[in-house]
Amino acid sequence: MHKTIAAGAAGGAIGGVVFDVLMRLFPVGTEHRSMVAFAADLVRAGSPLAGWLVYPVYGIAIGALFGWLLGHGALDKVRAAMWGGLYGVGWWIAAELVLIPVLLAVWPLSASAVDRVRDVALPLLVGHVVYGVILGIAWSRFMEVRRSYRWAARPDTNTRRAA
């Protein structure tokens, strides 16, 4: 089970870096700050550079959870990408309604929370879906490599019987 978690964390790291790059492209608010600066504000970092670390760390954490949830299930790349995209949408909902409002010291699921996250909703939806698809594909590839390595290391049982 720990190998699926590691595959999820590794896939989450890859997806988190892509998520970070995407968030640099989206300006938010009336002052047109980047989503990276918004992330730095969420974690109360003094420097916007710290915002660059938020997305990969977040990606690794929720990627490990993705690996744990899937367990040893064998999924091809297409199904893994689909489940990853849905997983990203689920985390977008959780982030928009609970996580970001809590970090902004606003009551989750309230009208004021919705007002505070309205400007970042679309960029985060795009980022989470792309992150999830990349996470799913990367997890599938890491698990495929692990399975092929495991089978290649095993001796062929048919040749032993013939000998």
Side-chain angles (χ1 to χ4, degrees), residues 83-120:
W83 281 113
L86 289 172
Y87 185 73
V89 170
W91 271 103
W92 172 72
I93 292 168
E96 285 290 310
L97 297 179
V98 179
L99 184 61
I100 293 173
V102 165
L103 291 172
L104 290 172
V106 178
W107 194 259
L109 304 170
S110 66
S112 61
V114 171
D115 286 340
R116 296 289 298 269
V117 297
R118 183 175 290 130
D119 288 342
V120 297

Side-chain angles (χ1 to χ4, degrees), residues 28-29 31-55 99-105 116 120:
V28 294
E31 61 276 356
H32 297 291
R33 297 178 332 143
S34 75
M35 288 292 296
V36 173
F38 177 76
D41 291 345
L42 284 178
V43 295
R44 312 263 191 275
S47 168
L49 295 176
W52 291 16
L53 292 176
V54 170
Y55 295 106
L99 184 61
I100 293 173
V102 165
L103 291 172
L104 290 172
R116 296 289 298 269
V120 297

Side-chain angles (χ1 to χ4, degrees), residues 76-87:
D76 61 352
K77 282 184 254 184
V78 174
R79 286 190 178 151
M82 180 199 67
W83 281 113
L86 289 172
Y87 185 73

Side-chain angles (χ1 to χ4, degrees), residues 126-163:
V126 171
H128 277 90
V129 170
V130 170
Y131 164 81
V133 169
I134 291 171
L135 168 65
I137 292 170
W139 178 86
S140 173
R141 290 291 296 154
F142 286 130
M143 293 302 292
E144 184 179 294
V145 167
R146 188 178 138 291
R147 277 191 293 274
S148 65
Y149 174 74
R150 183 177 60 185
W151 286 107
R154 246 187 203 169
D156 188 11
T157 56
N158 293 333
T159 56
R160 268 194 286 155
R161 286 186 196 152

